[in-house]
């Protein structure tokens, strides 16, 4: 059965993953805070990405660049002039929309290009007879280009001279540090720079829960290479993204679509882009973008900064401007996709349980220690305190409610193992380990618990 957005949102909100932001002040539209389990899950996703794309590739380096950069960066990158969406208002109810999205909703097979003129959008609105989704009138304002960058001011005066922007992507921080990383790491092509960090876009129509927000985190990798290697590295990155999604995030192939952008859809800086789309509850939408950005960004920054960002190939003694292959994904979008994927309401013989089948590496909590009865609390606490130090990951302790209820609580947040201590443990030093997915229980020696769990956390 198709998962409904309300159902997964309700589950994540009520179980401590995500909260509406500023809730006690009636909230702030489309802003979300991450609760204790959401933070653990996010951290695990970021760690897994970093391990897979950075640590395990000897040619990839980390970077943490500023959110606020010299504004010329955004002039050079084209964001100041071109990073805008076609904004349209309904004259009748005053609701505000993105013209491209309104047209795509009328015909989901259309993938509207970023660079249509406002006149072309206007014509498509007419052709598809688009009316306001809110009040169903057809009284539109003209289309205006709305720049998505958040403005802010540095210093004490608020004027144009002091205007700065919150970065709308982490990638530009990487391009402007290309030479710093290359020089200090003595890196040879091909090599990559990976960065995880917040980005901000003043989206016209945020929504669909955490799918599109104005503040979000990105995990971006810029892989620099010789132009002639670019096609091969693009294919390699695509395969790595597939491997990561299928085998590490355990996303099913049938819920993904790999959309090869047509010439009309390509952004001005790209000669090939593949959108990895996921079947979210609201529909098939972009999860991860993989683009060949050519030498566009380095060339632009060379022109604006007047600095030499070329790479000297020591074997041929020739200077080249590297091409860049970029896989870029939002942390929250990936988190949302994983949560939709692993959520299940499972019918049992005389019961029902909600279970989140997180891959063990991603599960927020790895183990729950559950004394069978309260009388065993003191003894069990000692075991728990030992295991806290031994298990690689967060573990929890719970004494409240029947053991059945406690198992259900852990299933619902995706804890892969529960450890039960009963009176026999006092004499045998054996505990029961229950596995989340199979619900099978095995008795093991207390001394083997940390090995048993930790070995399952190794990939
Ligand atoms: P969309 O078409 O959905 O607006 P985009 O093509 O503008 O996305 P990119 O600029 O390629 O997105 O950004 C790379 C990735 O960053 C996206 O694939 C997505 O995972 C994430 N992302 C982009 N915008 C947002 C947002 N507003 N909220 C959450 N994640 C986002």
């Amino acid at each position: 059965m198709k998962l409904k957005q309300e159902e997964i949102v309700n589950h994540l909100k009520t179980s401590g993953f995500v909260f509406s932001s500023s809730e006690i002040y009636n909230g702030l539209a489309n802003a979300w805070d991450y609760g204790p389990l959401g933070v653990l899950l996010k951290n695990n996703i970021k760690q897994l990405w970093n391990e897979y794309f950075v640590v395990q590739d000897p040619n990839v380096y980390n970077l943490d660049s500023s959110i606020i950069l010299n504004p010329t960066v955004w002039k050079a990158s084209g964001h100041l002039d071109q990073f805008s969406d076609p904004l349209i208002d309904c004259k009748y109810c005053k609701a505000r929309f993105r013209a491209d999205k309104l047209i795509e909703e009328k015909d989901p097979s259309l993938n509207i290009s970023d660079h249509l003129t406002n006149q072309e959008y206007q014509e498509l609105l007419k052709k598809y007879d688009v009316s306001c989704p809110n009040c169903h009138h057809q009284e539109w304002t003209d289309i205006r280009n709305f720049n998505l960058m958040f403005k802010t001011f540095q210093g004490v005066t608020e004027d144009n001279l002091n205007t700065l922007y919150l970065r709308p992507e982490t990638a530009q921080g990487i391009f402007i540090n290309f030479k710093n990383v290359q020089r200090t790491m003595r890196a040879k092509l091909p090599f990559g720079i990976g960065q995880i960090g917040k980005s901000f876009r003043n989206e016209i129509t945020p929504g669909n829960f955490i799918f599109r927000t104005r503040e979000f985190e990105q995990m971006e990798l810029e892989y620099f290479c010789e132009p002639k290697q670019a096609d091969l590295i693009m294919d390699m990155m695509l395969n790595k993204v597939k491997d990561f999604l299928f085998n590490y995030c355990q996303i099913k192939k049938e819920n993904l679509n790999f959309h090869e952008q047509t010439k009309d859809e390509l952004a001005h800086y790209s000669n090939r882009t593949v959108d990895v789309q996921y079947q979210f509850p609201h529909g098939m939408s972009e999860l991860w973008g993989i683009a060949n950005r050519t030498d566009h960004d380095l060339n632009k920054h060379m022109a604006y900064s007047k600095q030499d960002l070329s790479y000297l190939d020591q074997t041929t003694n020739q200077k080249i401007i590297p091409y860049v292959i970029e896989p870029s994904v939002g942390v929250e979008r990936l988190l949302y996709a994983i949560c939709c994927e692993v959520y299940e309401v499972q019918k049992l013989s005389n019961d029902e349980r909600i279970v989140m089948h997180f891959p063990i590496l991603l599960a927020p909590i790895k183990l729950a220690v559950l004394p069978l009865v309260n009388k065993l609390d003191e003894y069990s606490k000692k075991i728990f305190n030992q295991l806290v130090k031994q298990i690689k990951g967060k573990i929890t302790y719970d004494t409240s409610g029947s053991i059945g209820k406690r198992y259900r609580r852990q299933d619902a947040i995706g804890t892969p193992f529960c450890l039960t201590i009963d009176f026999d443990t006092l004499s045998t030093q054996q505990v029961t380990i229950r596995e989340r997915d199979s619900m099978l229980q095995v008795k093991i020696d207390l001394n083997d618990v940390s090995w048993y769990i930790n070995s399952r956390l190794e990939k």
Side-chain angles (χ1 to χ4, degrees), residues 98 101 201 203 210-213 216 218 286-289 328-330 333:
R98 267 175 69 175
K101 293 290 165 202
R201 296 182 187 180
E203 301 273 6
I210 53 175
F211 174 81
R212 188 183 302 286
T213 49
F216 56 99
Q218 287 185 307
E286 177 174 329
L287 166 64
W288 204 318
S328 168
V329 62
R333 261 191 212 181

Side-chain angles (χ1 to χ4, degrees), residues 375-426:
K375 273 191 184 152
L376 292 163
D377 185 37
E378 203 178 318
Y379 175 71
S380 306
K381 266 270 169 59
K382 284 191 189 133
I383 296 176
F384 171 74
N385 288 334
Q386 276 277 304
L387 290 171
V388 164
K389 293 187 207 124
Q390 294 167 347
I391 304 278
K392 294 181 192 148
K394 188 83 173 164
I395 76 171
T396 188
Y397 184 80
D398 188 7
T399 52
S400 62
S402 71
I403 192 71
K405 282 214 175 96
R406 281 181 275 163
Y407 283 154
R408 292 288 176 271
R409 253 200 310 269
Q410 296 304 324
D411 291 342
I413 61 169
T415 306
F417 304 103
C418 288
L419 179 155
T420 318
I421 295 157
D422 56 28
F423 285 109
D424 284 349
T425 311
L426 297 172

Side-chain angles (χ1 to χ4, degrees), residues 77-121:
S77 68
H79 284 84
L80 267 176
D81 297 326
Q82 292 173 40
F83 193 56
S84 55
D85 278 338
L87 174 72
I88 193 166
D89 292 338
C90 169
K91 284 187 188 162
Y92 196 82
C93 73
K94 312 284 179 229
R96 185 159 274 189
F97 302 96
R98 267 175 69 175
D100 54 337
K101 293 290 165 202
L102 284 176
I103 299 160
E104 277 176 4
E105 272 160 29
K106 273 277 173 179
D107 182 353
S109 68
L110 275 180
N111 227 319
I112 302 275
S113 138
D114 271 355
H115 25 255
L116 292 187
T117 62
N118 288 350
Q119 178 64 29
E120 285 166 322
Y121 282 125

Side-chain angles (χ1 to χ4, degrees), residues 87-97 132-141 144 204-205:
L87 174 72
I88 193 166
D89 292 338
C90 169
K91 284 187 188 162
Y92 196 82
C93 73
K94 312 284 179 229
R96 185 159 274 189
F97 302 96
C132 171
N134 201 32
C135 69
H136 309 294
H137 285 80
Q138 262 188 8
E139 292 180 48
W140 297 114
T141 59
R144 285 150 294 146
I204 298 170
T205 46

Side-chain angles (χ1 to χ4, degrees), residues 194-332:
Q195 164 152 248
I196 301 178
K198 289 255 182 183
S199 292
F200 303 82
R201 296 182 187 180
N202 200 359
E203 301 273 6
I204 298 170
T205 46
N208 288 320
F209 187 40
I210 53 175
F211 174 81
R212 188 183 302 286
T213 49
R214 295 190 169 109
E215 172 181 345
F216 56 99
E217 263 184 291
Q218 287 185 307
M219 302 190 283
E220 297 200 291
L221 173 60
E222 307 301 324
Y223 219 100
F224 299 90
C225 61
E226 287 180 34
K228 62 175 188 286
Q229 300 170 314
D231 291 343
L232 206 70
I233 291 185
M234 176 86 186
D235 288 338
M236 182 187 92
M237 279 303 152
L238 192 52
N239 282 334
K240 285 189 87 159
V241 168
K242 283 182 185 171
D243 179 45
F244 186 80
L245 288 173
F246 298 155
N247 298 320
Y248 290 76
C249 302
Q250 287 173 21
I251 295 197
K252 290 186 257 341
K253 285 187 185 153
E254 65 259 31
N255 290 332
L256 289 167
N257 180 45
F258 296 86
H259 171 74
E260 188 80 45
Q261 287 196 358
T262 61
K263 274 214 171 74
D264 282 347
E265 290 164 4
L266 286 174
H268 62 282
Y269 53 75
S270 175
N271 67 7
R272 185 184 172 201
T273 296
V274 177
D275 292 337
V276 182
Q277 301 169 327
Y278 178 72
Q279 187 69 60
F280 287 98
H282 64 267
M284 188 61 95
S285 322
E286 177 174 329
L287 166 64
W288 204 318
I290 305 161
N292 179 342
R293 294 182 75 125
T294 68
D295 52 4
H296 174 88
D297 300 274
L298 289 180
N299 269 329
K300 285 281 175 197
H301 288 302
M302 288 225 306
Y304 276 84
S305 67
K306 311 266 186 302
Q307 303 286 319
D308 181 8
L309 301 181
S310 64
Y311 171 86
L312 178 69
D313 185 332
Q314 280 163 355
T315 46
T316 60
N317 218 19
Q318 280 195 337
K319 279 185 167 185
I320 59 161
I321 310 298
Y323 266 37
V324 182
I325 306 300
E326 173 197 78
S328 168
V329 62
V331 177
E332 296 84 354

